[in-house]
Structure formats: structure tokens, C-alpha cells
């Protein structure tokens, strides 16, 4: 295919796929009237009023804080639990390692809704409805299988001889971990952490069902804008933009690592 | 909660490492006997928490499914045998929900795999602005489902003010009321839009390890583009296609927010999947008993999907 044709086709498809997101950005800077203009407006004088109003009306910062705290905490907690397990599986394989890995992944295949009633009842009994703690625990648990898998497939690529050599030289377990394994596994840990952060930030099922005004995340806040009667598209867009911008920009910078990690090491 | 499955996924991929490692393990390792407990200790937190995460809800769900349990009347509890199951299965929504779940998963996987391969091939070789294209393409993957859903429902698909309505009018057609006329189709579009970038990026990564000389040789021998695609490119992508299907299946079984924020499962049950049906029973009808019976059907469904997955992936990783 000629270069010009290929370039044209690639850009056309890309712009088409990116259009909804671009439109969201444009709408966020319109007035409410401009937002529902027929035909749709492409050229207009941008306004920042929507952003201020979103913060005023629905306390954006509180929800953003909830999103940040729950996703960072669950990522760190998840790494702390998953990394030792993955290390153990990658470097001390037994006959059962494979079965355990498969079992872990299978817990992820169960739709979350299957556990909704029990988890709701448990959270209610424990007084954890609408708390960040409940979300942190649930995000950690539901991401754990994928984290173990990703880390396992990354650790597996590290030659065990390197660790053996360190051990021969009298390194303690902590030194072995800190000075040998960690530098080698940094890429894998980062990819896993990044993915977990994205998944938790965007998680909507549990935050919609277990939280409301106190511990609600941005994903839940946006859902509250879904009332059918109001045509507040400009404000909806501004709120949406503020909800996705941090993680989308974050994703742009980490996409290469993310994709490598997500293939479970099966695609090189 | 869990799915009982046979091992197999990791087997072929790890076979080589296995052999090497078993050899290494056969060599004398003095210090190992003392630290047998260590690997288990390191694994314990993950295994224990996941075991709890699976078993506690499962046992509770099984218990709830046999009792009369309405969240609004927690005192009116009594054993009702298979009543909840009967209610859930004979509910006409049940068959519709299963069909919708399968349609949703099937269509999204088909769209993303076919579209993803095509897109990956299109941007495989360098062209001006490839870096920017890559960044723009991946973006929808990072958009949270609730934003995705509302963006499409209002600004794209609104029958009066939406961009698509304007496009329809431009071509002289009557604008479609997507949420009413094509509810499931609309949800499929939203979910596919989210997952297409993911598939594209995985395939792009896989294409980069393609043997260019082989392709060149095939071209020299007079293989035209479709033949190269059929005999060289697609076999090379087999593994990554399996990975994409596996990951998407895991996430697509529980599509919820897109339905919750747009169609609410309607009109009628037209866009209700199994996940949303259980949700409706639990938190809209407050009937925890029936919802639990439904949840156990979801477990069953997940089992079937898992068995299917293992077959598929196991074959492809050989």
C-alpha cells in the first residue's frame, strides 16, 4: 500500500474512533445552549464556567479524593499481597503451582454481581457501607488474581540462576529481594501497578452499589448525572472530563508497559 | 466465588521453563530443606484472601438461595426449597438475559478481534504521526464505563441533539432513537469502542515480533496480500487472539455500568444481561433470595465459559 494511502486511512480511522472523546472535550467548554445546538457546533467561544459549577454543585474534589485514595491504596495493598505469591510461584514451582494459578484466575471469571448480595449484607453488618475501606478491600481482592498472574509471568522470565548466585554469595532473603529481584522486576511491578490503578479508578459496579455521598468515587459521581430529564450536557461533559483526564493522561504515558504486562507474557 | 476448571492454560507456555527448572531443582540444594515453608508462607496471604473472597460469598449465596429473604423485610425468613430457583428460571426475563449476555460477549469479541487485527495491520509500518495515532487510539480504553455510557447515550446517540442524529439527517434519513430502538446494539457499540483499542494494541505488539524476512520471501514467491495474511500473519497472531478473547471474556461477563447508566436494561428486558437481571432482583426488588438463585446460575454460566476458554487457549498456546 502506498504510504500516502496508508497514512490517510490510518488517520481517518483514528480520528473517527477518537471523535466521541474529542467531542466530550469540546462540549465541556460550551455553554448549555451551545451544547445542544442543532446542527452541532464546532466553532465557539470556550467557557470555563462548567468546571467551576461542577465543583460547586457536586463537590468534585471529594469524589476525586475518594477515587485517588481507593485506587492507590488497593494497588499498593494488592502488590504487597500478590508479589510474594508470584515470587514464590515463579521460583519455587511445585506440581500444584499451575493449578493454583488457574484457580486464582477462575475467581476473576465470576461476575461481580454474583457476590453482590452477600457482600452487601456483610458490608452492612460490619457498618462498612459507604466507606473507603470497603472499596479498598474489594478492589484489592477483585484485582488480585490478575496481579498475581501478571507478576508471575514477569518473574518467570527472570533466570533463577541470578538469584541462586546471590544466595551463594550469602545474600539474605531481604537482600536478594531488594538488590537483585526488585531491580529486575521493576518493569513488571510497574506494569501491574499501573493496570491495577486504571482498573480501580474506573471501577463502577462496587462503587455504584456500595457507596453514596461519603465514599463515592468519580465513576459513581458521573452516574448520578444520568437523570433523563436534564439536558446538562456541558456540565456532564466537564464533570466527565475531570473524571477521566487524570487516568487517560496517565495511560498515555504508560501504555507501552501496560500492554506488555497485560498479555500475561504470552505475546512478545 | 469460583469456577472449577482443569489446568491447561499455563501448561504449554511453561513447558520449556518447567523442564529447565526441574533439572535445576534436581541439583543438590542444601539450604532448601530448611526453607520449604518459606514459599508457602509467601503464597499464604494471596491464597487465603482469595479463598475467603470466593467461599464466604458462595456459601452465603447458596444459603440465601434456599430461603425467603427480602431485604426490606429481614424478619420474614423461612426455608422455601427450590422456590427461588423456580421463580428465577421461569421468569421470562431469564432466557432473554442469557441470550443478551451471549450476544453482547460474542459481538464485542467479534468486532474487537476483527477490527483490532485490521487496525493493527494498518498502523504496523511507520507513517507520519504514528506515535500520535497510537496515543489517540488507546485513549478510549482508559475511559471509565459510566463516562463512556453517558457520552454515547447523550452526545452521540440522542435522537434530537446527538451527533449521530445530525449525521442521519445529513444523509436525509430519519434519526434513530438508539436507546429505544437498538438498546442492545447501542450497548454493544459502547463496550466495543472501549475494548477495540485494547485489542489493537495487543495485536500491534504481537505484529512487531513478526519475521519480516519470511514475509519478504513469501512476497518474492508471488504470494499476494491475502495469502500472506492467511498463512503467515494470522497464525502468528493466534496466541495474542487467544489472550484477547480470554481477557475480554473475563471482563465482558460482568458488563454492568454501561447498562445501568443508559438503558436501565430496557425497554422491557431488551438490554438486560444476566448481571443486570440479578442486580434488578437484589437491589431494585430487594429480593435477595431470588437474586442469589440467579447468582448461582451466573456461576454456572461462568463455569461453562471457563471450560470453553481453557479449551481454546490451551489449543492456541501449543
Amino acid at each position: 500500500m502506498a504510504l500516502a494511502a496508508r497514512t490517510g486511512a490510518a488517520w481517518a480511522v483514528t480520528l473517527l474512533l477518537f471523535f466521541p472523546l474529542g467531542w466530550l472535550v469540546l462540549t465541556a467548554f460550551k455553554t448549555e445552549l451551545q451544547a445542544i445546538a442543532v446542527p452541532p457546533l464546532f466553532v465557539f467561544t470556550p467557557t470555563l464556567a462548567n468546571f467551576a459549577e461542577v465543583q460547586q454543585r457536586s463537590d468534585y474534589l471529594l469524589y476525586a479524593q475518594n477515587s485517588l485514595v481507593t485506587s492507590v491504596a488497593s494497588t499498593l495493598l494488592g502488590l504487597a499481597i500478590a508479589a510474594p505469591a508470584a515470587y514464590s510461584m515463579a521460583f519455587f514451582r511445585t506440581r500444584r503451582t499451575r493449578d493454583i494459578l488457574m484457580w486464582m484466575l477462575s475467581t476473576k471469571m465470576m461476575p461481580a454481581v454474583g457476590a453482590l448480595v452477600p457482600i452487601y449484607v456483610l458490608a452492612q453488618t460490619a457498618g462498612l457501607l459507604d466507606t473507603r475501606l470497603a472499596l479498598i478491600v474489594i478492589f484489592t481482592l477483585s484485582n488480585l488474581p490478575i496481579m498475581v498472574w501478571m507478576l508471575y509471568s514477569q518473574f518467570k522470565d527472570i533466570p533463577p540462576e541470578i538469584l541462586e548466585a546471590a544466595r551463594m554469595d550469602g545474600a539474605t532473603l531481604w537482600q536478594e529481594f531488594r538488590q537483585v529481584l526488585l531491580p529486575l522486576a521493576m518493569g513488571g511491578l510497574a506494569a501491574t501497578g499501573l493496570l491495577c490503578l486504571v482498573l480501580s479508578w474506573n471501577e463502577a459496579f462496587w462503587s455504584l452499589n456500595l457507596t453514596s455521598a461519603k465514599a463515592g468515587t468519580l465513576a459513581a459521581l458521573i452516574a448520578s448525572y444520568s437523570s433523563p430529564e436534564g439536558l446538562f450536557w456541558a456540565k456532564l461533559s466537564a464533570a466527565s472530563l475531570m473524571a477521566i483526564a487524570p487516568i487517560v493522561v496517565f495511560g498515555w504515558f504508560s501504555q507501552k508497559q501496560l500492554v506488555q504486562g497485560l498479555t500475561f507474557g504470552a505475546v512478545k | 466465588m469460583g469456577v472449577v476448571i482443569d489446568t491447561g492454560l499455563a501448561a504449554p507456555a511453561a513447558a520449556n521453563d518447567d523442564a529447565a527448572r526441574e533439572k535445576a531443582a534436581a541439583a543438590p540444594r542444601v539450604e532448601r530443606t530448611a526453607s520449604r515453608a518459606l514459599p508457602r508462607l509467601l503464597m499464604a496471604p494471596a491464597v487465603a484472601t482469595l479463598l475467603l473472597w470466593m467461599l464466604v460469598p458462595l456459601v452465603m449465596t447458596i444459603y440465601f438461595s434456599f430461603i425467603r429473604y427480602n431485604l426490606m423485610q429481614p424478619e420474614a425468613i423461612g426455608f422455601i426449597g427450590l422456590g427461588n430457583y423456580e421463580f428465577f428460571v421461569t421468569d421470562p426475563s431469564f432466557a432473554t438475559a442469557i441470550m443478551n449476555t451471549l450476544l453482547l460477549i460474542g459481538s464485542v469479541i467479534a468486532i474487537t478481534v476483527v477490527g483490532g487485527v485490521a487496525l493493527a495491520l494498518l498502523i504496523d509500518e511507520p507513517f507520519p504521526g504514528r506515535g500520535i495515532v497510537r496515543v489517540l487510539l488507546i485513549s478510549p480504553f482508559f475511559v471509565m464505563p459510566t463516562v463512556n455510557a453517558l457520552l454515547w447515550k447523550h452526545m452521540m446517540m440522542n435522537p434530537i441533539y446527538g451527533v449521530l442524529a445530525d449525521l442521519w439527517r445529513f444523509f436525509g434519513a430519519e434519526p434513530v432513537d438508539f436507546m429505544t430502538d437498538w438498546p442492545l446494539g447501542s450497548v454493544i457499540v459502547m463496550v466495543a469502542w472501549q475494548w477495540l483499542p485494547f485489542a489493537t494494541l495487543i495485536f500491534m505488539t504481537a505484529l512487531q515480533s513478526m519475521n519480516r524476512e519470511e514475509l519478504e520471501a513469501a512476497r518474492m514467491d508471488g504470494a499476494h496480500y491475502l495469502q500472506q495474511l492467511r498463512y503467515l500473519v494470522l497464525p502468528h497472531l493466534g496466541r495474542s487472539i487467544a489472550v484477547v478473547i480470554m481477557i475480554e471474556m473475563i471482563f465482558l461477563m460482568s458488563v454492568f455500568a454501561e447498562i445501568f447508566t443508559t438503558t436501565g436494561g430496557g425497554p422491557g428486558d431488551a438490554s438486560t444481561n444476566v448481571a443486570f437481571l440479578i442486580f434488578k432482583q437484589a437491589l431494585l426488588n430487594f429480593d435477595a433470595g431470588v437474586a442469589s438463585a440467579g447468582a448461582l446460575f451466573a456461576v454456572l454460566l461462568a463455569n461453562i465459559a471457563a471450560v470453553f476458554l481453557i479449551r481454546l487457549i490451551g489449543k492456541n498456546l501449543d
Side-chain angles (χ1 to χ4, degrees):
Chain A
M1 227 188 307
L3 180 67
R6 219 153 34 79
T7 310
W11 271 99
V13 177
T14 302
L15 291 178
L16 192 70
L17 284 173
F18 187 77
F19 176 78
L21 216 50
W23 193 249
L24 180 85
V25 176
L26 280 186
T27 312
F29 293 96
K30 291 176 179 176
T31 64
E32 293 298 349
L33 267 180
Q34 288 167 338
I36 54 165
V38 179
L41 276 181
F42 281 89
V43 183
F44 57 93
T45 326
T47 166
L48 287 174
N50 298 315
F51 295 95
E53 207 170 323
V54 165
Q55 164 60 20
Q56 251 171 25
R57 265 176 35 148
S58 52
D59 202 0
Y60 165 84
L61 286 177
L62 172 74
Y63 289 89
Q65 205 186 11
N66 287 337
S67 278
L68 193 68
V69 169
T70 51
S71 46
V72 170
S74 65
T75 301
L76 294 179
L77 190 59
L79 282 175
I81 301 175
Y87 167 84
S88 164
M89 288 175 181
F91 296 109
F92 303 91
R93 292 179 65 87
T94 66
R95 279 177 297 117
R96 266 183 317 209
T97 302
R98 216 177 278 149
D99 297 333
I100 296 176
L101 271 169
M102 281 317 298
W103 164 71
M104 284 187 170
L105 196 62
S106 76
T107 65
K108 181 72 197 167
M109 264 177 234
M110 176 60 221
V113 73
L116 175 61
V117 175
I119 298 293
Y120 188 89
V121 171
L122 284 175
Q124 198 177 32
T125 316
L128 286 178
L129 279 183
D130 203 11
T131 60
R132 288 174 183 171
L133 182 63
L135 284 189
I136 293 172
V137 170
I138 288 170
F139 289 175
T140 305
L141 286 168
S142 66
N143 287 333
L144 200 55
I146 290 199
M147 298 181 90
V148 173
W149 258 89
M150 280 179 72
L151 288 172
Y152 166 77
S153 56
Q154 313 262 358
F155 287 172
K156 212 162 44 87
D157 291 343
I158 297 173
E161 292 76 24
I162 297 182
L163 299 185
E164 299 281 335
R167 224 171 285 147
M168 295 293 183
D169 290 344
T172 62
L173 185 72
W174 175 247
Q175 283 172 326
E176 179 190 324
F177 170 75
R178 179 76 192 74
Q179 288 165 13
V180 185
L181 185 65
L182 202 59
L184 286 172
M186 217 47 218
L189 283 169
T192 310
L194 292 174
L195 181 77
C196 192
L197 215 54
V198 172
L199 288 178
S200 304
W201 182 278
N202 290 342
E203 204 286 333
F205 180 77
W206 292 111
S207 31
L208 275 172
N209 283 314
L210 296 184
T211 66
S212 51
K214 272 200 342 257
T217 63
L218 287 170
L221 168 71
I222 299 302
S224 73
Y225 277 77
S226 67
S227 61
E229 72 284 355
L231 284 178
F232 302 113
W233 292 3
K235 265 171 231 78
L236 168 66
S237 302
S240 300
L241 185 58
M242 286 157 87
I244 63 171
I247 210 75
V248 171
V249 172
F250 180 76
W252 284 346
F253 287 107
S254 52
Q255 41 135 343
K256 275 197 181 140
Q257 265 164 321
L258 259 178
V259 171
Q260 295 282 356
L262 246 185
T263 59
F264 293 125
V267 179
K268 289 283 147 60
Chain B
M1 290 205 276
V3 180
V4 185
I5 37 179
D6 258 337
T7 171
L9 169 58
N16 293 337
D17 302 48
D18 251 10
R21 219 151 280 175
E22 249 132 46
K23 223 180 268 171
R29 274 196 202 167
V30 189
E31 82 278 61
R32 276 298 151 264
T33 36
S35 56
R36 262 268 172 79
L38 181 69
R40 285 191 194 156
L41 197 69
L42 291 174
M43 223 152 62
V47 172
T49 46
L50 277 177
L51 207 59
L52 281 178
W53 175 238
M54 178 187 112
L55 283 180
V56 173
L58 184 62
V59 170
M60 287 174 74
T61 304
I62 292 175
Y63 170 66
F64 291 156
S65 74
F66 289 114
I67 61 172
R68 183 186 300 110
Y69 185 18
N70 192 300
L71 292 173
M72 287 287 102
Q73 304 151 298
E75 66 287 341
I77 285 183
F79 182 78
I80 53 165
L82 293 175
N84 288 325
Y85 290 89
E86 201 188 328
F87 187 90
F88 192 82
V89 178
T90 52
D91 183 355
S93 315
F94 179 61
T96 318
I98 293 217
M99 263 321 282
N100 288 342
T101 307
L102 296 178
L103 263 176
L104 176 68
I105 297 179
S107 320
V108 172
I109 287 183
I111 295 171
T112 53
V113 168
V114 174
V117 170
L119 262 171
L121 285 169
L122 187 62
I123 56 176
D124 183 40
E125 278 162 58
F127 61 86
R130 184 157 169 264
I132 304 172
V133 159
R134 206 182 137 116
V135 161
L136 292 182
L137 269 183
I138 186 74
S139 303
F141 184 60
F142 299 116
V143 173
M144 55 181 67
T146 46
V147 168
N148 171 356
L150 289 179
L151 163 63
W152 278 93
K153 178 190 180 184
H154 292 307
M155 282 160 278
M156 294 294 123
M157 291 174 164
N158 183 291
I160 301 163
Y161 308 107
V163 174
L164 290 179
D166 206 60
L167 195 69
W168 256 242
R169 278 191 296 265
F170 179 81
F171 287 108
E174 188 71 20
V176 181
D177 188 351
F178 290 91
M179 295 306 134
T180 314
D181 297 340
W182 299 345
L184 189 64
S186 305
V187 173
I188 289 172
V189 167
M190 295 167 198
V191 179
W193 180 68
Q194 176 126 52
W195 284 94
L196 180 60
F198 165 76
T200 307
L201 255 95
I202 299 267
F203 295 145
M204 234 181 101
T205 314
L207 278 180
Q208 266 144 30
S209 64
M210 183 96 205
N211 188 343
R212 307 278 149 174
E213 283 160 24
E214 217 173 73
L215 269 181
E216 197 54 43
R219 209 169 299 152
M220 296 289 212
D221 290 342
H224 57 69
Y225 189 69
L226 282 180
Q227 283 171 328
Q228 292 171 32
L229 205 63
R230 168 74 185 78
Y231 295 104
L232 291 173
V233 178
L234 286 183
H236 177 79
L237 286 180
R239 222 176 183 201
S240 45
I241 291 177
V243 167
V244 166
I245 293 180
M246 176 181 86
I247 296 178
E248 287 194 3
M249 251 184 150
I250 290 177
F251 283 95
L252 295 180
M253 299 252 262
S254 43
V255 164
F256 171 80
E258 286 87 346
I259 298 173
F260 177 83
T261 33
T262 57
T263 62
D269 293 313
S271 57
T272 298
N273 64 356
V274 174
F276 198 77
L277 184 65
I278 299 169
F279 163 81
K280 273 207 287 201
Q281 288 297 350
L283 289 193
L284 298 184
N285 298 346
F286 301 105
D287 197 332
V290 171
S292 298
L296 289 173
F297 276 103
V299 175
L300 195 71
L301 203 66
N303 266 288
I304 296 170
V307 169
F308 168 76
L309 264 184
I310 301 306
R311 289 264 161 81
L312 177 98
I313 310 267
K315 236 195 294 174
N316 262 288
L317 287 185
D318 268 333

